[in-house]
Amino acid sequence: MRETLARNLRKYRRAQRLSQEELGHRAELDRTYISSIERCVYSATVDVVGRLADALGIPALELLRPASESAEAKSSSATSAEVAGTKGRPKKGAKPARKSEESTQRRATARKKPGP
């Protein structure tokens, strides 16, 4: 089960072009913890699986679904891009926008020029 979670987490994260750091930020988990899950060093609790799934915008079951079941589900319901949420994403090699709300606000405040 640990390997299934690791494989699916990596697959969905990469399909959405998210770094481990960005996924960790969205799920309120440390980047190193995401890495450890993907490498099968740690196993995740049900709560952590739920947080990761929410951050990826997918049902938690998708992270725990074995590869054979996952392939069957995709072929019967939607394309892999639609399932992974990559429809309309930039092409491979393009840098994704990774601005957090806080850093965006800081930049906007720094750009404001004082009045006359």
Side-chain angles (χ1 to χ4, degrees):
M1 186 59 81
R2 191 184 293 191
E3 285 131 7
T4 299
L5 173 62
R7 183 178 52 252
N8 289 338
L9 178 60
R10 186 177 302 111
K11 176 183 75 173
Y12 282 106
R13 178 181 61 78
R14 287 180 175 171
Q16 293 186 28
R17 299 182 188 270
L18 294 175
S19 66
Q20 291 173 343
E21 186 172 359
E22 178 62 23
L23 178 58
H25 177 74
R26 291 181 182 189
E28 297 180 357
L29 298 168
D30 193 82
R31 170 197 56 81
T32 59
Y33 188 60
I34 304 286
S35 173
S36 295
I37 293 171
E38 288 185 358
R39 291 180 293 123
C40 298
V41 174
Y42 295 136
S43 50
T45 65
V46 174
D47 292 335
V48 168
V49 172
R51 287 164 62 178
L52 291 167
D54 288 345
L56 290 167
I58 61 173
L61 180 61
E62 290 301 314
L63 291 175
L64 302 174
R65 190 182 306 266
S68 60
E69 290 180 31
S70 182
E72 291 171 14
K74 285 182 188 176
S75 65
S76 65
S77 64
T79 67
S80 59
E82 290 169 336
V83 171
T86 58
K87 193 173 184 179
R89 299 269 179 187
K91 292 186 178 183
K92 189 172 185 175
K95 288 194 174 190
R98 293 187 183 151
K99 295 178 183 175
S100 70
E101 198 172 308
E102 184 179 315
S103 65
T104 302
Q105 289 174 351
R106 274 186 280 159
R107 286 187 197 115
T109 304
R111 288 184 191 145
K112 289 182 182 177
K113 295 182 179 178

